[in-house]
Amino acid sequence: MRVEEHPILGEMKKPNVVEIEVDGEIIPAIEGEPIAAALLAAGKSIFRYTRKRNEPRGVFCAIGRCTDCMMVVDGIPNVRTCVTPVRAGMKIQTQHGLGEFGGPLS
Amino acid sequence: MRETEFAIVGAGPAGLSAAIEAARAGVQVTLIDENDKPGGQLFKQIHKFFGSKEHYAGVRGIDIGVQLLHEVETCGVEVMLNAVVWGIFADHTLGIIHDHKNLHLKAKKILLATGASENALAFPGWTLPGVMGAGAIQTLVNIHRVLPGRRVLMVGSGNVGLIVSYQLLQAGAEVVAVLEAMPKIGGYGVHASKLRRHGVPILTSTTIKEARGKGKVEEAITIGLDEHWREIPGTEKAYQVDVICLALGLTPLSELAWMAGCQFDYIPQLGGHIPVHDANMETTVNGIYVAGDVSGIEEASTAMEEGKLAGIAVAEALGYLSAAEAACKKEVVLRRLDELRSGPFGGVRKQAKEQLHQQRCSQ
């Protein structure tokens, strides 16, 4: 959910909306925002599943420290989506375990 | 290998202030930050600051950030972004990964202004998506304008917990309650009152017991605590929420200070293990300084003053300021720090800081 209006920050500046692909689904995203922000705005909360127990993980710290939000981005696993900016046409996949190199490239 | 006179690690309020102060005196400054923008956490702080006028009282963190960045740009500081400092060596050399390349930077003086990381709390279900740090919420809501949920339970009633709760209301979310394990509210009364006026209950002697949900947070279970911090059976309550926010204090990000061989002291009031430092912010390792949260968890306002102190001290040590000039500048800053560290909240930190300084001096 986007915070379009805000009593202190005012109206949101007109963003440059692009499309990214998440597990095959096209979602809108704002160019330059962290991938994690775009996913949360689109209502997605599970970013990866853990290696041993296959438990879901999402965004925890949002500043690149905790690595909970790692996904496969353009074929590269373990990318911290909270500090990786959106580019048009990125292909993002939910990560399973440690992830694998490869997969779709943008 | 590259060389500089003064390398600063971390471009938050402390690092920026130190850079400005030193560069104005004529020092060659390299300011390094791992993020793609300088400012640290300042740009997430959309509330007005407290303190005196010199302290930007009534000014919002974001506006202070803009001002500091402008000053850094105009006084000739080299700013190196997307740069992670991974090591610090005995000859004042930093190992840095910058834009995916490794480089070494040798400096005459180094300031570690690395800030802090949020404390977490482990409870059943705490790894579920939807359990987040308060800093994460601030980043998402105030910078990226994304609400990660609609109904939030806040754990912790320190200033961060109270302020972020209010910021969630401003962004249109509902805060079902703020929990506080202690018998009284941790933060300032003025922040707590703002929440109360909006009907948000602040529940003292209460903590989180469990987060439940399929794949993400759907329900939070809270429980009452007795005076010995034991759970009181039968006091569990269930809240339907999609976000559980943890505001449980901060721990200094002190890895580089450990690596440099700085002596530490354990001071719980300042957030744990703190590098021992003197009134110039110099650690027990010659030429290595600390300022801001890494030198003891306080606030952005104190971080800025500590950064200035370090900047002045470095300019003096490098011969850009005479002892008299430096003493005069330091006196002004120290007076402001004293003001910031007064009252029931600041007084505790003042005592703890003095304890650190005495240790450094007795060596």
Side-chain angles (χ1 to χ4, degrees), chain A residues 48-106:
Chain A
R48 68 181 178 101
Y49 290 90
T50 59
R51 187 167 67 98
K52 283 187 187 164
R53 290 192 286 192
N54 203 37
E55 290 175 351
R57 291 287 188 273
V59 175
F60 184 74
C61 81
I63 53 169
R65 296 230 80 82
C66 77
T67 67
D68 250 14
C69 68
M70 295 191 307
M71 300 179 88
V72 183
V73 177
D74 287 336
I76 298 170
N78 303 312
V79 172
R80 295 171 301 166
T81 55
C82 71
V83 288
T84 305
V86 161
R87 279 181 293 104
M90 272 180 156
K91 290 190 171 59
I92 295 146
Q93 292 169 289
T94 302
Q95 182 166 321
H96 295 271
L98 300 178
E100 277 177 26
F101 281 92
L105 301 171
S106 64

Side-chain angles (χ1 to χ4, degrees), chain B residues 110-164:
Chain B
I110 294 173
L111 170 65
L112 305 175
T114 43
S117 68
E118 292 194 273
N119 296 335
L121 179 72
F123 50 88
W126 80 289
T127 57
L128 275 175
V131 179
M132 292 186 191
I137 301 273
Q138 266 198 323
T139 309
L140 289 165
V141 174
N142 297 346
I143 305 238
H144 306 304
R145 309 272 300 241
V146 171
L147 259 182
R150 285 170 194 278
R151 283 169 60 83
V152 184
L153 177 72
M154 180 67 65
V155 184
S157 76
N159 280 327
V160 173
L162 298 175
I163 290 170
V164 173

Side-chain angles (χ1 to χ4, degrees), chain A residues 1-12 34 37 40-41 45-46 55-63 65, chain B residues 34 44 46 60 62 117 120 127 129 131-133 136 139-140 142 144-147 149-150 170-171 215-216 246 253:
Chain A
M1 195 179 17
R2 300 270 179 200
V3 184
E4 307 274 350
E5 286 184 27
H6 193 286
I8 309 295
L9 299 170
E11 243 178 86
M12 219 170 149
L40 289 171
S45 53
I46 300 176
E55 290 175 351
R57 291 287 188 273
V59 175
F60 184 74
C61 81
I63 53 169
R65 296 230 80 82
Chain B
E34 66 179 342
K44 301 167 191 180
I46 61 169
R60 298 177 197 280
I62 31 175
S117 68
T127 57
V131 179
M132 292 186 191
T139 309
L140 289 165
N142 297 346
H144 306 304
R145 309 272 300 241
V146 171
L147 259 182
R150 285 170 194 278
Q170 288 177 319
K216 58 182 179 150
L246 307 179
L253 274 175

